Amino acid sequence: MSLLPLDDAPGRLPTGRSLTPPPVRFRARAPRLLRSALVTLPLLLIGVWAAVDWQTAYNGTTRLGSADPWWLLVALFFTCLGWLSAPCIRQGALPERLPAGLLIASQFAAGAANHVLPASIGAHAVTLRFLQGRGIPLARATASLALYSAVKPIARTLVLLVFLVAFPDLLLTGRLVPDQRTALLVAGAVTLALAGTAVLVTTVRPLRRPLLDALRCALTDVRVLHTRPARILALWGGAAAAPLIQASVLFAVGAALGLSLSWVQVAFAFLAASTAVGAVPAPGGIGPVDAAVVFAMVALGAPMDLSATAVIGYRVLTVWLPLLPGALVLSALVQRKVL
């Protein structure tokens, strides 16, 4: 006869015990592993992109080495000034006041993510996470992203119209006027986008509720924001100033290389090109916008080689220069649980 108690007999489990221990360690380690992956992911993506497109950065940096350094300092000044435009618009799109330092840091980090993923997905994802970390509800945060995305092209188009009214001679060249085929393609793309959104909202039920909540919140916030002069100035003033600051960077780089176009011509070329093809889902607008800017500058009388070199130099200052610091700031914000 066995002298073991019933609970300790072979093949029997003690009362209240289990052979499978609770996965406490795994659950505790999973968030740490995920956060560590998120910290290193921006640097990994930047490294992959640098390996793929290193020739562009090398050529642009080499050509800038022989440019006028004083004009390059002016271009660098406007580049740094442009880093403040996105936080200004973000704050203008939200009734709640955000901490200025963290907002600027988050948008600097969002700029790095924006140049990796197309259609501003990376920047919006970083901003959405930042807003939720500040206690902003999901519907309101989503509404602010939608308002930000809507105000920027509207403001850019209004600035372009002001240029056309103030400087009608810029349209004397017919090469900048889109033909009927191009206009039909743009209209068709807009119609398809609106129709696709409507189909998704009406057929996919899980999307309907959050989208309708975000739409109601957006309409409410728009009414509230436009009763505050400070928010109006930050939202619309920042959105109108952003393309002009970017055009000033391009003009300064062109002047450093000996480009003969005036600031008005360069700004008009940049506004027209970014308005025409800015909706193409490329990372940071790189590619379609660059080609369109070069085409517009050549149409206004600039040499092809100088126009292309100026655009490459512009991309080196606005994309490659802040890319690594932006990725480091993004990793630091994730490490400190700000994102």
Side-chain angles (χ1 to χ4, degrees), residues 153-168:
I154 293 174
R156 184 170 59 238
T157 304
L158 292 176
V159 173
L160 178 60
L161 293 177
V162 170
F163 265 73
L164 293 177
V165 173
F167 308 101

Side-chain angles (χ1 to χ4, degrees), residues 163-331:
F163 265 73
L164 293 177
V165 173
F167 308 101
D169 295 341
L170 292 173
L171 273 184
L172 289 180
T173 171
R175 297 176 64 186
L176 289 180
V177 180
D179 54 13
Q180 185 177 3
R181 182 179 179 182
T182 302
L184 289 176
L185 287 175
V186 172
V190 173
T191 304
L192 287 176
L194 294 176
T197 303
V199 170
L200 285 176
V201 172
T202 55
T203 58
V204 183
R205 291 186 177 182
L207 291 177
R208 189 182 310 168
R209 182 66 176 270
L211 287 177
L212 290 178
D213 290 343
L215 179 60
R216 294 191 194 97
C217 189
L219 294 176
T220 303
D221 286 353
V222 165
R223 289 195 298 268
V224 172
L225 290 171
H226 285 80
T227 60
R228 303 181 183 181
R231 292 294 188 269
I232 296 175
L233 180 61
L235 181 63
W236 291 99
L244 296 179
I245 294 173
Q246 293 173 323
S248 299
V249 177
L250 179 60
F251 168 75
V253 173
L257 295 170
L259 195 67
S260 59
L261 295 181
S262 65
W263 180 86
V264 172
Q265 291 175 311
V266 173
F268 175 75
F270 183 85
L271 288 168
S274 57
T275 302
V277 299
V280 177
I286 299 175
V289 173
D290 294 348
V293 170
V294 171
F295 172 79
M297 293 171 68
V298 171
L300 290 173
M304 172 66 77
D305 55 344
L306 278 182
S307 300
T309 303
V311 171
I312 292 175
Y314 163 80
R315 285 300 181 187
V316 169
L317 288 177
T318 59
V319 176
W320 282 98
L321 181 64
L323 197 56
L324 182 58
L328 294 175
V329 171
L330 179 58
S331 299

Side-chain angles (χ1 to χ4, degrees), residues 3 23 27 40 47 63 69 75 78 95 106 162 199 241 247 267 292:
L3 298 178
R27 292 178 181 176
T40 57
R63 292 169 180 174
F78 281 110
S106 69
V162 170
V199 170

Side-chain angles (χ1 to χ4, degrees), residues 102-116:
L102 287 179
L103 178 60
I104 294 174
S106 69
Q107 293 309 293
F108 188 63
N114 188 47
H115 295 306
V116 176

